[in-house]
Amino acid sequence: MSYINKLLVANRGEIACRVMRTAKKMGIKTVAVYSDIDKNTLFVEMADEAYNIGPPQALQSYLRSDKIIDVALSTKSQAIHPGFGFLSENAQFSEDCQKNDLIFVGPSADAIRKMGSKSESKIIMTDAKVPVVPGYHGETQDPNFLLQEAEKIGFPVLIKAVMGGGGKGMRIVRQKSEFLEALEGAKREALKSFKDERVLVEKYIEKPRHIEVQIFGIAQYKEDIKRVIEEAPSALDEKIRYDIGEKAKAAARAVKYSNAGTVEFIFDLDSSKFYFMEMNTRLQVEHPITEMITGSCKWRTTTINSRINQKKRSFPFEARIYSESPNNNFLPGSGKLDHYSEPKASQSVRIETGVREGDTISIFYDPMIAKLVVYGENRQLAIQTLLNALQNYQIHGLPNNISFLKTVLQHPEYVNQQYDTSFIGKNQDTLLKLKDHYNPIDIALAIAGRHFLNSVQLPKSLLNFRNGAQIHNKLSLHIQSASYAHQKEIKITHNINGNTHELEIKGQKIVVNKVTKSQEHNNLLIFETNQGIFIRTIRNNENLLIFDAEGDPISITVSSDEVKKVKSDQHGHGNNKEIVAPMPCTLTKVNVKVGQKVKRGDILIIMEAMKMEHTIKAAIDGEVKEIRYKEGQFIEAGAMIVKLE
């Protein structure tokens, strides 16, 4: 392979960031191509050069091979890395790169083309003595002929689009009377998705496991069509794993395969037989599993002639963090990441992402936020490491699957490796169950944290008004969370005496004696209470946000904040006769009139700043000479509000 000193990455998001990070370690400059909507994203920022290639729609940008090749040539890039998705399995793109003297970082166009057809690939595999699922993989597409083949195979059968993927053009048929209607639907969907209505018919395996072998011999569990958690090694015994690995190598050699790829098998738990499904002729989303086992990143070339030692890091797991709603049929979500905090990376915890707090997950692309990868010396330790990391993965602003992943990891069938690809479907009631009640301590910590965060933002001149205050509040709270079953309206009392907070919630008295800010993160607070020490992440923007002990977000709206009694010896800033605004604020209430006699300690005005009310009292006895603002008006810092004489 020719030496590469500049690489164009024809992808976006997490995988673009990952390739660029590795390229920079190798001293290779990187070029990004991006759509209009991706202009301010992380991967564009990471690249040495970046060029716009069109509108957000992939067909007009990331799938425009002509534009991408033009950018590669104009920037004098020697190679193009396609990542996964988009053009990564496009044989024509691979050929076009070669025609323009560009290195396509992937397999040959011939291998892509042969393995891209499910029917042709299975014929090749049969010739290579790689077992395939019993079925009809020929060219005849007459409905009655296919029905006859289905009867020969024996129901249930699976109809699959020849050029399909992602579950499109796929139907399970359990009896003869359903076949023709299912066939029509599969063909219609295949034509719409792949511009090719051809299908094949295979025996449907009732209790399968999905086993993948990256071309390093790494077997991984994958859940159904919907990928959730990958792990290695698979639960199969060593002899079967070895046999599957050998067949994967045979499959790769049959098409003279080079570079990274994945051979997928289905394992029948009833018969203990395995069958070839398909080959992904690209870098796989779960390639970090291989890296965690081997301790290396091989994104340029892949050898298929030797087996890599798997004993270095025995039990890696990968969980995909998606913006989606598990309780709404895993419907993809989009929106702004109002809060985004990752678990701390370490030798056993790794995060692959292409987003930052404040970024937007777009409707135009895959909703994956990140890949969380861990490993442990044994499976139990690896699961616990992944669970701990998920509990410290905090996202708010759009739906996500973190809570669902935590539930999966703790399910007995998963823990004991008693699952198959029907695991999610048959355990939905358990896996999608929401929490039924809030812990009062979390509500108390949120309210105390809100007061603390507002206070630390105040300048000293205004903070003086708060010191030594005794404030008695009655609060109405609206509480909601995607992880909890019900939204709730509750009323609490909140008494503040200096720095001590006394709260009564559902008859439970909680005292917060001290709040301090963690050095790790501005929004990570440490609370010393009558029930122990707690550490929580608190955000106080439009709504109050706290992440509970399991890392699930709770959003709180304070709908009323009635100050019943305020005692303070603090006064306004400036001389004793002029009350000036110590910071920008809104005048909430004026308690006096021009000409009114006042005594030291009388309340003159109440103003609101930083979402808190501040009471200003007279520092001397006197008479109100002038009031310059009306209730509801905004006042700039330093402006005089009331004058006494």
Side-chain angles (χ1 to χ4, degrees):
M1 179 178 284
S2 302
Y3 180 73
I4 299 172
N5 57 42
K6 185 180 283 190
L7 174 74
L8 185 146
V9 182
N11 216 298
R12 63 178 301 281
E14 173 271 325
I15 187 57
C17 292
R18 183 70 184 96
V19 172
M20 289 175 186
R21 197 174 296 118
T22 301
K24 288 188 178 184
K25 287 181 180 178
M26 300 174 69
I28 299 172
K29 291 188 177 298
T30 57
V31 177
V33 289
Y34 63 91
S35 69
D36 294 342
I37 203 168
D38 279 341
K39 181 179 180 180
N40 297 314
T41 52
L42 182 59
F43 80 93
V44 173
E45 183 180 299
M46 286 180 64
D48 295 296
E49 302 174 49
Y51 299 88
N52 183 288
I53 53 171
Q57 293 83 355
L59 282 171
Q60 300 179 54
S61 51
Y62 295 108
L63 292 175
R64 285 292 301 270
S65 57
D66 55 334
K67 288 186 177 182
I68 292 170
I69 288 175
D70 284 346
V71 172
L73 295 173
S74 66
T75 57
K76 294 182 170 52
S77 299
Q78 291 89 25
I80 296 179
H81 196 303
F84 45 70
F86 295 132
L87 294 168
S88 62
E89 293 182 279
N90 187 305
Q92 187 60 53
F93 181 55
S94 176
E95 286 181 346
D96 290 344
C97 287
Q98 188 176 7
K99 289 176 184 176
N100 285 278
D101 294 324
L102 293 166
I103 298 168
F104 177 78
V105 184
S108 67
D110 182 62
I112 294 173
R113 195 168 278 115
K114 286 177 178 176
M115 285 305 198
S117 167
K118 284 183 169 55
S119 57
E120 183 178 357
S121 66
K122 292 192 176 183
I123 293 170
I124 294 171
M125 292 303 101
T126 300
D127 292 341
K129 297 187 174 5
V130 177
V132 299
V133 178
Y136 175 73
H137 307 121
E139 291 296 320
T140 302
Q141 294 291 300
D142 177 73
N144 290 322
F145 174 81
L146 292 175
L147 175 58
Q148 291 175 8
E149 291 298 313
E151 290 183 280
K152 291 179 185 177
I153 297 165
F155 291 95
V157 297
L158 183 66
I159 302 171
K160 296 170 68 175
V162 166
M163 301 302 292
K168 297 180 178 67
M170 188 179 292
R171 297 289 189 278
I172 299 169
V173 185
R174 297 191 175 278
Q175 54 191 26
K176 179 180 177 180
S177 60
E178 301 171 350
F179 184 84
L180 292 177
E181 184 179 349
L183 175 65
E184 184 180 344
K187 281 179 167 287
R188 187 168 53 245
E189 193 170 272
L191 183 63
K192 184 177 179 181
S193 299
F194 312 112
K195 298 182 181 179
D196 189 332
E197 68 171 8
R198 291 176 300 152
V199 298
L200 50 83
V201 183
E202 294 180 339
K203 179 67 179 175
Y204 177 67
I205 297 173
E206 293 279 9
K207 293 183 67 178
R209 271 192 175 157
H210 190 172
I211 307 296
E212 291 194 353
V213 183
Q214 291 194 1
I215 310 301
F216 295 96
I218 309 303
Q220 305 165 44
Y221 159 65
K222 302 192 76 174
E223 173 58 41
D224 205 359
I225 298 168
K226 171 73 184 170
R227 284 142 169 84
V228 178
I229 298 171
E230 288 87 22
E231 63 172 287
S234 69
L236 307 179
D237 67 49
E238 190 172 344
K239 183 179 182 303
I240 294 175
R241 284 207 307 271
Y242 180 84
D243 197 13
I244 290 176
E246 291 300 306
K247 296 303 183 187
K249 289 163 65 177
R253 290 193 182 108
V255 291
K256 299 179 180 178
Y257 194 85
S258 64
N259 219 283
T262 303
V263 186
E264 299 190 18
F265 294 89
I266 193 165
F267 181 81
D268 188 345
L269 288 170
D270 288 331
S271 67
S272 294
K273 293 181 179 180
F274 65 88
Y275 306 97
F276 170 86
M277 284 179 60
E278 62 183 358
M279 183 174 185
N280 295 317
T281 54
R282 55 172 167 78
L283 190 67
Q284 195 77 336
V285 177
E286 54 275 18
H287 74 278
I289 290 281
T290 299
E291 294 177 26
M292 290 296 265
I293 285 180
T294 64
S296 65
C297 172
K298 299 193 175 185
W299 59 271
R300 286 181 64 187
T301 57
T302 302
T303 176
I304 63 173
N305 295 315
S306 61
R307 183 175 297 277
I308 290 177
N309 182 3
Q310 295 187 25
K311 294 181 180 179
K312 190 168 185 179
R313 294 176 175 174
S314 298
F315 289 86
F317 280 67
E318 177 183 294
R320 302 188 195 182
I321 313 299
Y322 279 105
S323 173
E324 62 184 8
S325 300
N327 289 85
N328 190 17
N329 201 29
F330 293 91
L331 190 70
S334 61
K336 184 180 177 183
L337 284 162
D338 292 330
H339 176 86
Y340 181 76
S341 178
E342 298 172 347
K344 191 173 182 179
S346 66
Q347 283 191 331
S348 58
V349 177
R350 168 174 155 185
I351 301 99
E352 299 283 0
T353 187
V355 300
R356 303 155 295 189
E357 184 170 291
D359 285 352
T360 297
I361 302 298
S362 168
I363 61 172
F364 293 102
Y365 312 115
D366 185 275
M368 188 169 71
I369 296 171
K371 298 183 300 195
L372 176 58
V373 191
V374 307
Y375 83 90
E377 295 303 319
N378 55 58
R379 188 172 184 270
Q380 183 179 2
L381 182 59
I383 289 176
Q384 190 58 52
T385 301
L386 181 55
L387 185 60
N388 291 342
L390 286 167
Q391 288 176 341
N392 287 287
Y393 214 130
Q394 298 176 348
I395 295 174
H396 189 258
L398 71 177
N400 63 80
N401 65 337
I402 290 177
S403 183
F404 171 74
L405 291 170
K406 290 184 289 190
T407 307
V408 168
L409 288 172
Q410 297 174 85
H411 194 282
E413 287 185 24
Y414 187 81
V415 172
N416 297 318
Q417 292 185 290
Q418 296 173 339
Y419 51 75
D420 56 40
T421 57
S422 65
F423 170 70
I424 292 177
K426 71 181 183 182
N427 291 296
Q428 280 194 13
D429 290 346
T430 304
L431 297 176
L432 301 178
K433 186 177 181 180
L434 298 174
K435 297 179 182 179
D436 55 8
H437 67 278
Y438 298 91
N439 189 338
I441 190 69
D442 288 317
I443 309 305
L445 299 180
I447 298 301
R450 166 183 180 245
H451 185 274
F452 173 81
L453 289 174
N454 282 335
S455 296
V456 296
Q457 297 179 62
L458 301 178
K460 288 183 179 180
S461 55
L462 188 55
L463 187 59
N464 287 337
F465 299 139
R466 313 297 301 180
N467 292 339
Q470 295 180 21
I471 304 175
H472 304 267
N473 293 331
K474 284 190 176 180
L475 307 180
S476 295
L477 308 180
H478 177 74
I479 306 171
Q480 59 183 338
S481 172
S483 303
Y484 288 79
H486 306 290
Q487 299 182 24
K488 290 189 177 181
E489 299 281 350
I490 66 171
K491 293 186 182 296
I492 71 170
T493 60
H494 177 206
N495 300 326
I496 307 171
N497 189 353
N499 292 322
T500 300
H501 300 260
E502 295 181 359
L503 301 105
E504 188 170 329
I505 303 173
K506 294 184 177 180
Q508 183 175 340
K509 186 175 181 181
I510 300 167
V511 180
V512 180
N513 297 306
K514 187 178 181 182
V515 184
T516 54
K517 188 177 290 188
S518 167
Q519 294 182 352
E520 292 184 19
H521 195 285
N522 284 339
N523 297 104
L524 190 64
L525 304 182
I526 302 169
F527 300 87
E528 296 180 21
T529 78
N530 63 333
Q531 298 188 19
I533 296 176
F534 299 89
I535 300 175
R536 294 287 190 273
T537 296
I538 308 282
R539 292 292 295 263
N540 187 28
N541 296 326
E542 291 183 9
N543 289 328
L544 178 60
L545 177 69
I546 184 170
F547 288 84
D548 67 16
E550 288 77 40
D552 294 321
I554 303 172
S555 180
I556 303 173
T557 303
V558 183
S559 55
S560 69
D561 192 341
E562 304 173 17
V563 180
K564 292 296 184 183
K565 184 179 180 183
V566 179
K567 294 181 180 178
S568 177
D569 292 327
Q570 307 304 324
H571 312 289
H573 175 65
N575 62 48
N576 290 337
K577 292 184 178 181
E578 293 184 357
I579 309 300
V580 301
M583 68 182 302
C585 62
T586 300
L587 186 57
T588 303
K589 188 174 182 180
V590 179
N591 273 19
V592 293
K593 298 178 181 179
V594 173
Q596 181 178 332
K597 301 284 187 181
V598 296
K599 293 185 177 181
R600 183 178 184 274
D602 285 350
I603 296 175
L604 301 177
I605 59 172
I606 298 174
M607 62 185 192
E608 182 182 338
M610 294 287 187
K611 301 180 183 178
M612 296 178 67
E613 286 191 346
H614 309 279
T615 300
I616 311 299
K617 299 180 180 181
I620 58 172
D621 295 343
E623 181 179 323
V624 179
K625 180 70 174 178
E626 186 178 357
I627 302 173
R628 292 192 176 180
Y629 293 89
K630 296 180 180 179
E631 292 179 2
Q633 281 190 296
F634 178 78
I635 306 171
E636 294 286 355
M640 189 185 76
I641 306 171
V642 177
K643 185 175 183 179
L644 304 177
E645 66 174 17

